[in-house]
Amino acid sequence: MDSFITIRFKRATAKRFQEFSKTHFKSHTEAMATMLDFFFCNEISPREKLGPTGRTIEAKLLKRINAVIAIMRDMEKTQTKPTVAMMESLFQAEEPKKKPLILEKKFTEERKEVRFQEKRNTSKEL
């Protein structure tokens, strides 16, 4: 078993470290070793700012996405829908009247009504 050493910290800092260590690691030793490895492996100083955090990047992306959505909706209202309506009105011409195809001439028997008829002699006399 490894031996322990005492390090003096201010009480507020020690409390913060204990809370952090309990939530993320099994022991305080493992927490401190992992933090030191992180700084040495990535060759950064704990005093450096690493730039925007994931939350700020996400918030900026959401703002940009919302702006793009607003632009697309505006384009749809002002450009796409009126253009589609105009195109539909151009292509929706009245249907041509259906005329029968002239393949052969159909002769219809027309019966003309005779207005005047001769009297027929039923007695066969001349």
Side-chain angles (χ1 to χ4, degrees):
M1 185 168 188
D2 292 331
S3 61
F4 290 94
I5 190 170
T6 305
I7 301 176
R8 298 178 73 186
F9 292 107
K10 290 186 179 180
R11 188 173 301 273
T13 306
K15 290 282 186 193
R16 281 181 55 205
F17 178 74
Q18 287 174 343
E19 289 173 11
F20 175 80
S21 177
K22 283 180 186 178
T23 57
H24 297 288
F25 299 97
K26 294 180 183 176
S27 67
H28 300 311
T29 305
E30 184 182 351
M32 183 59 72
T34 305
M35 287 191 296
L36 290 172
D37 289 342
F38 173 79
F39 290 117
F40 284 125
C41 290
N42 293 309
E43 297 178 1
I44 57 173
S45 168
R47 297 185 189 276
E48 287 181 28
K49 288 286 184 186
L50 297 177
T53 62
R55 290 183 191 148
T56 57
I57 292 172
E58 181 183 8
K60 286 181 181 180
L61 282 174
L62 286 175
K63 285 181 184 177
R64 294 308 309 151
I65 289 172
N66 289 339
V68 168
I69 290 171
I71 291 169
M72 290 178 67
R73 284 185 180 159
D74 182 54
M75 284 176 52
E76 184 177 315
K77 287 179 186 175
T78 59
Q79 296 173 2
T80 308
K81 287 184 179 178
T83 305
V84 169
M86 288 174 16
M87 295 297 284
E88 284 180 354
S89 67
L90 287 174
F91 289 115
Q92 285 182 352
E94 290 184 22
E95 292 183 19
K97 295 178 182 177
K98 293 184 179 180
K99 294 181 180 178
L101 296 175
I102 304 174
L103 298 177
E104 61 184 49
K105 292 184 178 179
K106 293 183 180 179
F107 296 102
T108 58
E109 293 181 18
E110 295 180 15
R111 291 189 178 182
K112 295 183 180 179
E113 287 186 29
V114 180
R115 293 176 69 188
F116 302 102
Q117 286 185 357
E118 229 177 90
K119 263 190 174 180
R120 292 189 185 174
N121 195 358
T122 57
S123 62
K124 292 191 181 185
E125 289 178 16
L126 287 177

